[in-house]
Amino acid sequence: MTKPLLAGAALAVLVVVAPALAQSVVKPRMPKDASWVIRLPERENIVYQGVANFDRVSAGERPMSYGPGPVIALLMLAGHAAYVDTTLTQQRTAAQERADRVLLPYRAVLDRYTQRELMQRALSKSQMSGGRGLMQAGENAGADWLVEAGVVMMMTQDEKALLLDAAFAIRSSEARGQPVYERVIRVVSRPRDEDDPRIFWSRSEGERLKEESAHLVAHALDLALRDANGTLGIATAGHRTYRYREGGAEKMERAELMADLCDRIVVKNLRDWLMSIPLRPREGSKQECAAAERPAS
């Protein structure tokens, strides 16, 4: 069931980040050599959902103001339900509950996977310097910059890929009020090509599922920090349509290119989210691609 999952610290951070969905705000940048800590949310459980198909969800003649996705579902429950009517919300909830059934074989593992373990693994995989560890909710960050993240992990219905929606808020070491950086980042894993992906994810008591989740969070964290300190890049080529694989399905996104990571690109879409999406392998050094692309393949 999704309703107990749609609350807690992930929701709180997403509420903070909500204004950034509409537009980017020019604020002081985080220094490249800054030291930073990740504040753990109060909620211990990680939000895992199935990727839902909302194509059949409608609200009469009224178009949807928000695109589909669990981050949007969280935002609607956080007081933004004025954008949709009650019928649409109920339909979306029912569709999400059906989609969540894909996770039933993994629930025993996921229910024991905590925010602390996920973030500790992600921190160890991060390629960014300056990380000084984790801190509890409400703890003082001292002279370090504060990184807050609300994460929602998703599995495609064919169980071939994971998706991450992460809402980041980064606060200055001097001013703990308004974040200097706010962004939602989506990371799509490379599809698994195993005949039975369920066997793959379930091996060693779900270790591969935990590791892939941590790789995605680490990659999103690195993108957020690079975006905040100005080293990610600036979109200059204009909008175009990018095609990519989401599990076994082909997806399209209208976006601007921000960074090319060999077998993966980072784009900024029309909702002002960053997206890291896998591409087909290109000719060249597999070692170079492996070094450029952090999520597990």
Side-chain angles (χ1 to χ4, degrees):
M1 300 291 289
T2 50
K3 50 191 174 185
L5 297 176
L6 299 179
L11 175 60
V13 175
L14 289 165
V15 174
V16 173
V17 178
L21 297 176
Q23 62 181 2
S24 297
V25 180
V26 178
K27 298 177 181 178
R29 280 182 174 167
M30 181 182 186
K32 297 177 184 178
D33 59 350
S35 60
W36 46 273
V37 294
I38 299 176
R39 173 182 283 169
L40 291 170
E42 294 180 2
R43 178 188 180 84
E44 228 179 84
N45 300 78
I46 304 162
V47 178
Y48 275 89
Q49 296 182 329
V51 174
N53 183 354
F54 295 112
D55 290 345
R56 295 184 180 181
V57 175
S58 64
E61 298 299 319
R62 180 179 171 186
M64 292 176 60
S65 299
Y66 280 145
V71 168
I72 300 307
L74 287 166
L75 287 170
M76 288 193 296
L77 291 178
H80 297 264
Y83 292 97
V84 293
D85 61 22
T86 304
T87 302
L88 180 56
T89 302
Q90 291 174 344
Q91 291 173 343
R92 290 176 64 87
T93 299
Q96 186 63 65
E97 289 178 349
R98 289 193 297 270
D100 289 348
R101 295 171 189 166
V102 72
L103 294 170
L104 290 176
Y106 311 104
R107 274 298 170 202
V109 170
L110 299 180
D111 289 347
R112 297 194 303 268
Y113 196 25
T114 65
Q115 293 273 2
R116 173 172 286 279
E117 184 181 355
L118 172 65
M119 290 301 179
Q120 190 62 64
R121 289 185 187 222
L123 190 59
S124 69
K125 299 175 190 304
S126 171
Q127 296 180 323
M128 299 296 290
S129 61
R132 294 172 59 85
L134 309 176
M135 57 179 289
Q136 295 289 349
E139 195 175 340
N140 194 322
D144 297 316
W145 283 63
L146 183 62
V147 179
E148 297 173 300
V151 302
V152 177
M153 300 296 312
M154 294 161 280
M155 178 175 280
T156 57
Q157 292 299 307
D158 59 12
E159 302 178 52
K160 290 181 177 292
L162 297 182
L163 284 73
L164 164 71
D165 279 356
F168 287 93
I170 300 178
R171 303 177 191 276
S172 165
S173 56
E174 298 178 355
R176 296 298 186 199
Q178 183 71 12
V180 301
Y181 176 82
E182 301 166 293
R183 181 83 74 181
V184 173
I185 299 177
R186 170 168 287 187
V187 183
V188 182
S189 77
R190 188 169 303 286
R192 305 304 316 179
D193 58 4
E194 283 81 6
D195 293 333
D196 192 337
R198 185 173 299 178
I199 293 177
F200 172 81
W201 295 123
S202 301
R203 286 177 190 150
S204 303
E205 298 184 348
E207 182 61 23
R208 300 210 178 206
L209 185 55
K210 293 179 180 180
E211 275 290 282
E212 182 80 341
S213 299
H215 275 299
L216 298 182
V217 173
H219 183 55
L221 173 64
D222 289 352
L223 293 179
L225 292 169
R226 289 181 59 190
D227 196 23
N229 68 26
T231 61
L232 179 61
I234 300 174
T236 57
H239 289 89
R240 53 164 289 190
T241 300
Y242 292 92
R243 298 177 183 270
Y244 64 98
R245 305 301 295 181
E246 186 180 284
E250 184 179 67
K251 297 290 184 178
M252 296 182 294
E253 191 75 26
R254 190 75 178 167
E256 298 176 280
L257 182 65
M258 297 289 289
D260 188 331
L261 305 180
C262 194
D263 281 2
R264 176 174 288 275
I265 58 171
V266 180
V267 299
K268 184 170 69 171
N269 67 16
L270 298 177
R271 287 175 287 181
D272 205 38
W273 294 16
L274 292 185
M275 291 184 64
S276 177
I277 54 181
L279 300 178
R280 294 182 181 276
R282 301 177 230 176
E283 294 183 5
S285 169
K286 291 184 179 180
Q287 289 77 14
E288 290 177 3
C289 288
E293 181 184 321
R294 195 58 183 159
S297 306

